[in-house]
């Protein structure tokens, strides 16, 4: 299977969910209501959770030696690592925390039974011990900041000038039609990176309220040997070398878990796969009064899938198939965490390139009346929300879920296995290797100190998220996920990423964005700068819309002849999934054969100066991007700029 796996919806699709087989014909509302849309399994009042089993294995034939396969690994023998926290320097920029973070190649062992692998990671300078940087060789240290206290970061690129997955770079440069962005007519294709660049990088603070010059957009990339993309920018330029850039972050977000990751133009997918990602926590001192688990009882989980050669080195196989074959959490394959019989807060990030996960917590059948341990959702991408009892949830690439899981009712020695079920890599109808087990929580530690003093989830008084109400005159903007031909480049509105911005948004305005997805795959859509709410979804006659949209393109794209979406809708609007409702989001699942609507309340970039650095605030016009967070799709042009203007 190739990196471009989506296709127009021209024939039936079926998925398995529990005991049901849902035949998803084009535009059929039953499919949308019964499971392909449903990301959350809520805990019904007084009703045990229904059992659901993983579908039969699909993907690469285990006898096929043309695609690398991870050797057999014993599960739950490696303890879960916890990324270290970077230490700020408060002396350089008064009123701000300062970090220096270096991207470099190192090594990391993903499993006891695997040899060390070459990996890429972020390393933070330790201001107390400059010769002992903070990192682990893979991923990056956690940056933990207080709300509204700004951060300044210098990023330094010390990576090799030959890529860890050079064969992918070579294929893109040589025009491989499955990997290289090919512009739809009448546009001209442009190479995503220059002929003398095999590695370049830029860091994006995902979910951040950030001025454009610090946002880490692809065309701000810079290489280890100092080659700059066309929109490269840096704050405080007198303090940087050509392989460095300084960014300023406002930290005006609500208390939440953001993350930072590579966004290099044309090679985000392989850069992140090599290890370039880390967590960014926004803390609010007021949260200490909420009674949430803290310290060792607050556990970050960075969830990815990877494939390994026999020697333990990383194998990138997504030029040949969808997804990879082994779960990796915080850099370890099939880890375990010994826990006490008490409540834990789990901060989960899906940092996979392509894979959706449908997660639950399985317990032995003789422990509870039901086979899954219930838990509570207390937050999503943009921070805390009203607690919601759940049994499972669907998490797309780049989404974050904040959970309270209570192990206190389980006997000592109980193993709670985090499992993944019924979530093909390209959800809901893709393939790729099936991964059914991920990690294990082992209730083997005695309760430390006094009894658990945290607040029971049903009694939590968390900040609520007021719904954004659209008004009759609220501006609507459409984004059509267009693919010119099977396995070809995907674009928004049949316009390549490299074309100048065509969408101009008045500062301070509210808009509804409609993601029109006529394909068979779901796509996680990420909008830079803003948080939004999911408004609704609506099924559509995807095949007819696709055909008429093609005719409109071939006819010269005359505005007056453009297909009217309302003529293709096949059912009433469907409310957001329960885990999305009244939540602040920065990434949304755009389900297949569906219009997904989000509402963005205020397009207002941060214009104030950060840490007295001239030019650190946003200026108008202010251009940002949005894109699919299936990283292989993003690299292959499913991304567009948009611009905020004063008038």
């Amino acid at each position: 299977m190739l990196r471009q796996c989506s296709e127009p919806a021209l024939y039936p699709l079926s998925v398995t969910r529990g005991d049901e087989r849902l035949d998803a014909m084009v535009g059929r509302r039953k499919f949308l209501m019964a499971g392909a849309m449903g990301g959350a399994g809520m805990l019904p009042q007084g009703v045990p959770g229904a059992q659901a089993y993983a579908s039969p294995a699909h993907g690469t034939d285990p006898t096929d030696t043309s695609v690398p396969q991870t050797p057999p690994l014993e599960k739950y023998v490696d303890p879960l690592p916890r990324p270290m926290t970077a230490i700020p320097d408060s002396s350089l920029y008064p009123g701000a925390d300062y970090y220096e973070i270096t991207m470099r190649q190192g090594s990391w062992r993903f499993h006891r039974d695997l040899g060390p692998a070459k990996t890429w990671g972020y390393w933070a300078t330790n201001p107390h011990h400059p010769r002992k940087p903070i990192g682990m060789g893979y991923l990056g240290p956690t940056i933990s900041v207080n709300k509204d206290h700004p951060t300044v970061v210098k990023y330094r690129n010390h990576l090799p000038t030959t890529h860890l997955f050079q064969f992918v770079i070579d294929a893109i440069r040589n025009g491989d039609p499955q990997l290289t962005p090919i512009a739809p007519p009448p546009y001209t294709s442009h190479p995503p990176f220059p002929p003398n660049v095999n590695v370049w990088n830029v860091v994006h603070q995902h979910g951040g309220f950030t001025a454009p010059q610090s946002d880490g957009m692809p065309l701000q990339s810079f290489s280890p040997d100092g080659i700059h993309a066309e929109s490269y920018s840096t704050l405080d330029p007198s303090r940087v070398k050509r392989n460095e850039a300084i960014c300023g972050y406002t930290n005006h977000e609500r208390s939440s878990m953001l993350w930072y990751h590579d966004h290099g133009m044309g090679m985000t997918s392989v850069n992140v796969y090599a290890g370039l990602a880390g967590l960014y926590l926004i803390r609010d001192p007021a949260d200490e009064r909420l009674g949430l688990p803290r310290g060792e009882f607050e556990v970050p989980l960075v969830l990815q899938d990877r494939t390994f050669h026999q020697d333990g080195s990383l194998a990138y196989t997504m030029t040949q198939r969808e997804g990879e074959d082994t779960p990796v959490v915080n850099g370890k394959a099939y880890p375990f965490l010994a826990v006490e019989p008490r409540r834990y807060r789990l901060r989960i990030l899906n940092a996979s390139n392509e894979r959706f996960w449908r997660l639950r917590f399985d317990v032995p059948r003789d422990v509870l009346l039901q086979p899954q341990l219930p838990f509570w959702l207390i937050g999503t991408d943009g921070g805390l929300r009203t607690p919601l009892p759940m049994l499972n949830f669907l998490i797309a690439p780049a989404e974050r879920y904040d959970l309270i899981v209570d192990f206190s009712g389980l006997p000592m020695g109980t193993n709670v296995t985090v499992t993944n079920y019924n979530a093909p890599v390209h959800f809901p109808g893709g393939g790729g290797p099936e991964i059914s087990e991920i990690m294990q929580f082992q209730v083997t530690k005695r309760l430390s100190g006094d009894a658990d003093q945290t607040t029971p989830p049903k009694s939590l008084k968390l900040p609520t998220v007021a719904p954004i109400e659209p008004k009759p005159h609220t501006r609507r903007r459409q984004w059509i996920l267009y693919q010119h031909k099977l396995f070809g480049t995907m674009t928004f509105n049949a316009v390549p990423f490299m074309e100048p911005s065509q969408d101009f948004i008045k500062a301070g305005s509210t808009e509804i964005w409609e993601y029109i997805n006529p394909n068979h795959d779901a796509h996680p859509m990420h909008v830079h700068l803003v948080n939004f709410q999911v408004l609704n979804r609506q099924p559509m006659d995807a095949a007819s819309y696709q055909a008429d949209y093609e005719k409109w393109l071939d006819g010269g794209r005359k505005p007056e002849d453009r297909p009217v979406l309302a003529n293709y809708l096949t059912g009433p609007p469907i409310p957001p999934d329960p885990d999305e409702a009244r939540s602040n989001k920065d990434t949304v699942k755009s389900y297949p054969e569906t219009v997904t609507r989000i509402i963005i309340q205020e397009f207002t970039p941060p214009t104030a100066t950060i840490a007295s650095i001239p030019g650190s605030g946003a200026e108008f016009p202010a251009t940002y991007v949005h894109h699919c967070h299936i990283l292989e799709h993003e690299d292959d042009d499913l991304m567009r700029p948009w611009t905020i203007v004063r008038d």
Side-chain angles (χ1 to χ4, degrees):
M1 184 56 69
L2 300 168
R3 293 171 82 197
Q4 286 294 339
C5 308
S6 190
E7 56 190 275
L10 300 178
Y11 47 82
L13 164 72
S14 63
V15 297
T16 303
R17 187 173 192 268
D19 301 304
E20 296 179 283
R21 184 172 180 83
L22 305 174
D23 295 318
M25 298 296 289
V26 171
R28 183 181 293 180
R29 184 166 178 262
K30 172 188 173 185
F31 170 73
L32 300 174
M33 295 295 290
M37 285 187 65
M42 287 197 303
L43 179 61
Q45 298 296 320
V47 181
Q51 297 183 34
Y53 300 95
S55 57
H58 41 211
T60 308
D61 183 341
T63 63
D64 181 2
T65 59
S66 65
V67 180
Q69 307 280 318
T70 298
L73 301 176
E74 187 174 352
K75 298 174 183 175
Y76 319 130
V77 295
D78 286 306
L80 176 77
R82 295 202 191 198
M84 298 175 67
T85 300
I87 299 173
D89 182 347
S90 58
S91 64
L92 189 60
Y93 290 97
D97 289 336
Y98 175 68
Y99 299 87
E100 289 189 358
I101 294 183
T102 301
M103 299 169 260
R104 64 163 57 105
Q105 183 167 288
S107 67
W108 177 252
R109 199 170 196 143
F110 287 91
H111 189 274
R112 179 197 69 182
D113 300 332
L114 293 172
K118 284 184 180 180
T119 53
W120 291 358
Y122 296 110
W123 293 82
T125 298
N126 185 337
H128 305 312
H129 301 282
R131 296 186 179 181
K132 295 181 179 180
I134 299 169
M136 62 185 197
Y138 180 76
L139 301 177
T142 298
I143 299 176
S144 182
V145 304
N146 282 332
K147 183 179 186 296
D148 296 327
H149 185 73
T151 298
V152 178
V153 185
K154 176 188 282 189
Y155 295 107
R156 183 179 297 113
N157 195 341
H158 278 182
L159 291 168
T161 55
T162 299
H163 207 284
L164 197 59
F165 305 106
Q166 185 64 36
F167 72 96
V168 179
I169 304 301
D170 291 341
I172 295 171
R173 178 171 288 121
N174 294 332
D176 185 324
Q178 308 296 349
L179 303 178
T180 307
I182 299 174
Y187 295 102
T188 301
S189 299
H190 299 278
F193 37 80
N196 58 340
V197 169
N198 295 315
V199 175
W200 62 5
N201 311 84
V202 68
V203 180
H204 170 54
Q205 186 202 45
H206 183 116
F209 180 63
T210 309
Q213 59 270 38
S214 294
D215 190 60
M217 289 176 279
L219 291 177
Q220 295 170 333
S221 299
F222 56 100
S223 74
D225 49 354
I227 298 171
H228 295 169
E230 64 184 62
S231 298
Y232 166 84
S233 65
T234 182
L235 305 184
D236 219 349
S238 65
R239 294 193 180 190
V240 300
K241 299 176 182 177
R242 288 193 60 82
N243 65 330
E244 298 174 338
I246 292 177
C247 297
Y249 302 131
T250 65
N251 299 328
H252 287 330
E253 301 80 19
R254 297 177 61 185
S255 172
S256 55
M257 187 172 81
L258 313 183
W259 61 303
Y260 63 99
H261 62 81
D262 189 85
H263 218 316
M265 182 65 202
M267 57 182 78
T268 296
S269 57
V270 284
N271 290 349
V272 172
Y273 192 85
L276 294 179
L279 298 177
Y280 194 108
L281 294 175
I282 308 289
R283 301 287 192 184
D284 188 341
D287 291 350
E288 296 181 7
R289 301 192 297 267
L290 299 175
L292 298 173
R294 299 162 58 187
E296 66 175 299
F297 309 113
E298 181 183 18
V299 182
L301 300 175
V302 180
L303 182 59
Q304 300 172 308
D305 56 333
R306 297 291 184 263
T307 299
F308 304 98
H309 294 292
Q310 293 292 321
D311 64 357
S313 60
L314 280 168
Y316 179 87
T317 72
M318 283 179 282
T319 56
Q320 301 164 285
R321 66 179 179 192
E322 300 172 7
E324 304 293 351
D325 64 14
T326 301
V328 171
V329 187
N330 295 357
K332 285 293 180 183
Y334 300 108
F336 74 90
L337 179 66
V339 297
E340 299 179 13
R342 58 173 297 150
R343 286 182 285 272
Y344 279 72
R345 183 182 185 184
L346 306 183
R347 314 289 296 268
I348 301 177
L349 160 67
N350 182 357
S352 304
N353 280 36
E354 299 185 343
R355 185 179 290 271
F356 287 63
W357 306 83
R358 191 188 295 275
L359 303 180
R360 64 189 183 192
F361 298 84
D362 286 358
V363 293
R365 293 180 180 272
D366 59 348
V367 172
L368 297 177
L369 295 177
Q370 59 192 26
Q372 286 88 45
L373 180 66
F375 57 91
W376 291 75
L377 174 72
I378 63 167
T380 56
D381 307 344
L384 297 170
R385 50 151 290 157
T386 303
L388 176 71
M390 302 177 71
L391 289 172
N392 66 78
F393 63 97
L394 179 72
I395 183 169
E399 288 188 306
R400 284 90 71 205
Y401 277 65
D402 195 348
L403 311 179
I404 299 292
V405 180
D406 191 349
F407 301 106
S408 63
L410 303 178
M412 290 295 290
T414 300
N415 293 331
V416 179
T417 305
V418 182
T419 60
N420 173 51
Y421 73 102
N422 198 20
V425 177
H426 283 191
F427 186 84
E434 180 185 349
I435 295 175
S436 59
E437 296 183 34
I438 298 168
M439 68 169 291
Q440 204 168 73
F441 295 95
Q442 300 175 356
V443 188
T444 56
K445 298 175 70 175
R446 297 293 175 185
L447 191 64
S448 59
D450 297 327
D452 189 348
Q453 300 296 316
T454 60
T455 305
K458 65 180 179 181
S459 301
L460 281 170
K461 304 298 183 183
L462 301 182
T464 58
V465 178
I468 305 171
E469 300 293 344
K471 298 178 181 178
H473 63 274
T474 301
R475 170 75 156 83
R476 292 179 180 247
R477 195 174 299 272
Q478 293 184 350
W479 303 101
I480 295 91
L481 281 65
Y482 173 72
Q483 192 170 31
H484 183 57
K485 60 181 179 180
L486 185 63
F487 302 128
T489 295
M490 283 185 285
T491 58
F492 285 121
N493 299 345
V495 180
F497 170 68
M498 296 294 283
E499 291 297 312
S501 175
Q502 299 174 356
D503 291 89
F504 300 93
I505 301 167
K506 185 176 179 180
S509 65
T510 297
E511 290 197 357
I512 294 171
W513 285 14
E514 298 180 314
Y515 286 104
I516 301 171
N517 183 2
N519 301 321
H520 274 345
D521 294 344
H523 298 267
M525 296 303 177
H526 170 51
V527 186
H528 286 211
L529 176 68
V530 298
N531 271 192
F532 53 75
Q533 293 178 19
V534 181
L535 192 60
N536 58 50
R537 295 182 175 88
Q538 202 161 2
M540 61 182 291
D541 182 346
S544 296
Y545 184 89
Q546 177 87 15
D548 291 347
Y549 191 74
E550 290 274 3
K551 292 178 183 177
W552 177 73
L553 294 175
D554 294 341
R557 307 185 186 220
K558 298 177 182 177
E560 64 273 15
D561 296 334
R562 181 171 174 159
V564 178
L565 176 63
N567 296 335
Y568 301 87
L569 301 176
T570 59
I574 301 165
D577 293 334
D579 52 320
E580 299 171 319
R582 299 205 173 190
S583 293
N584 286 323
K585 300 278 293 171
D586 58 49
T587 304
V588 64
K589 306 174 189 78
S590 173
Y591 289 121
E593 305 168 46
T594 304
V595 182
T596 298
R597 298 185 181 93
I598 63 174
I599 184 166
I600 304 167
Q601 187 166 41
E602 190 174 359
F603 287 89
T604 304
T607 55
T609 298
I610 296 174
S612 301
I613 303 175
S616 54
E619 298 180 356
F620 295 99
T623 295
Y624 295 87
V625 300
H626 71 128
H627 57 87
C628 177
H629 224 285
I630 292 176
L631 300 182
E632 283 68 20
H633 292 178
E634 171 191 331
D635 280 345
D636 209 16
D637 243 22
L638 195 50
M639 177 165 56
R640 280 292 291 153
W642 49 273
T643 302
I644 303 173
V645 296
R646 287 194 185 277
D647 298 308

